Amino acid sequence: MIEGFVQIAQKVVKAVSEVLPFDISLSDEQGYIIGSSIPERMGTLHEPSKEVIQKNTFLLFDDEKIEDMTNVLPGVAAPLKFDTSTIGVLGIIGPPEEVEPYAQLVVKYVEMMWHEIFDQQIEEMETKTLETFAQYILLNETTNQVRVEQYCKMLEITPHTKRFCIVVDIGDSLLSSIQNKTPVNQLKNRLLACTQKAYESSRDVICTFLNMEKIILLKPVESENHYMTALDQFTNQSHALTEMFETYQITNVSAAAGHLCYSIEDMSESYHEAESLIKFGKQLGISPPIYTFHNWNILKELLPLQVDENFRDKILFRLRSLIEDEDFPELMQNFMVYCKNMMNISQAAKELFIHRNTLIYRLKKIESIILIDTKNFEHCMMLYLVLKRYDNGKSSSLN
């Protein structure tokens, strides 16, 4: 008997009973009833089922024929097939002349339902296998090459293809859908389909949920030039994905793309880079929440965080007299605005709602305290990077 037949028998019986005016039962190859609209018959032996399977044909049972039989009710019994194999017997209970016209139709309906459930189980198993594979290659620092090759062969994935990782963070949206009794697997499949469509991925793509909060897409590219093209398109594609997700009440979506890798075994690096981009992007409040090192605005925000810690500490020591000054918060804010306005005093003063002479005075004060030239681009750039990191984290979690 096909594995899983027992598990779905009662589910099939329940569905069929809702549209059929007769009681029905399903028996396995040994004749035991494994599904029945009459609960007390469950698990009992139905001897005629063996004969149905042996003869591989419909058999009718009227009152006269079942007179000396045990646990047999009037009706019709028919073999159930899966592909070319007989996997059990369907019994339709009632006067044979009344139930026989339904027999062929009901058999086909049950067989079709069985195929659908079996295909669904296969799909769920493949989905779970893909999720497990993604977790294995992305969340482990080291992987076993033989195991990776086995997974790739099973899932028909080309292991030595250039790919980069896209991470789509949907927060607790799926948990919310569970509370609202939305079919989670159905929703997950739709979100995965949207993700592949948005990022124009089909052949040899790996797209799956990594957990309840994250979708990962390992997108294959033919060359480094194709990778650069993909990054050029990433922001617009992510906006399109966000709009698609809104249809399913999935909001607060973040997306990030990691760097290019040349083997499936190296994808963990691309994944962790994308994860870090999302983490930093959220902490810094970068909007829109679409992150890639290909974006100059992202680089501008993240660059201060890349200043070497020892080097930063040396500069902060050098700036101690400025930091300890009672006007430091105001001086720092004015200086940062001055830099953001390309060292244009008039524009910066206008944004700060102060007279340009007031800004000049405060910049001069900075110069007198730490002996820096605020008209020198390189001096300003160095101070800006250090103060930017100081302002973002005060040497906190972004180290």
Side-chain angles (χ1 to χ4, degrees), residues 311-323 366-373 382-383 386:
F311 182 70
R312 180 208 60 188
D313 289 343
K314 286 181 174 61
I315 297 181
L316 286 177
F317 181 79
R318 177 69 180 80
L319 300 178
R320 187 170 63 181
S321 56
L322 175 63
I323 294 172
I366 293 174
E367 291 179 352
S368 66
I369 295 174
I370 58 174
L371 304 179
I372 196 172
D373 183 0
M382 182 169 59
L383 181 59
V386 174

Side-chain angles (χ1 to χ4, degrees), residues 29-42:
E29 290 174 300
Q30 284 73 45
Y32 286 95
I33 297 176
I34 56 175
S36 177
S37 55
I38 305 175
E40 56 267 26
R41 300 191 75 205
M42 290 285 292

Side-chain angles (χ1 to χ4, degrees), residues 168 186-201 207 209 215 217 237-248 250:
V168 180
Q186 186 180 43
L187 177 58
K188 288 174 69 175
N189 289 336
R190 289 177 179 174
L191 297 181
L192 291 176
C194 288
T195 303
Q196 291 196 53
K197 181 178 180 181
Y199 294 116
E200 299 177 3
S201 304
C207 186
F209 274 82
I215 296 172
L217 186 142
Q237 291 175 339
S238 297
H239 281 303
L241 178 66
T242 300
E243 291 177 2
M244 292 183 199
F245 278 11
E246 287 176 355
T247 304
Y248 303 102
I250 303 294

Side-chain angles (χ1 to χ4, degrees), residues 337-349 356 359:
V337 172
Y338 167 67
C339 291
K340 290 177 182 177
N341 281 277
M342 298 176 288
M343 301 169 64
N344 185 305
I345 290 178
S346 296
Q347 284 185 211
R356 69 188 307 275
L359 178 57

Side-chain angles (χ1 to χ4, degrees), residues 352-364:
L352 290 165
F353 299 103
I354 60 177
H355 195 278
R356 69 188 307 275
N357 289 339
T358 303
L359 178 57
I360 291 173
Y361 168 77
R362 291 172 182 171
L363 293 175
K364 289 289 185 183

Side-chain angles (χ1 to χ4, degrees), residues 284 301 304-305 387-396 398:
L284 297 175
E301 295 295 333
L305 306 177
L387 292 181
K388 179 76 171 178
R389 179 164 180 174
Y390 181 90
D391 187 42
N392 281 331
K394 301 288 192 300
S395 306
S396 65
L398 295 182

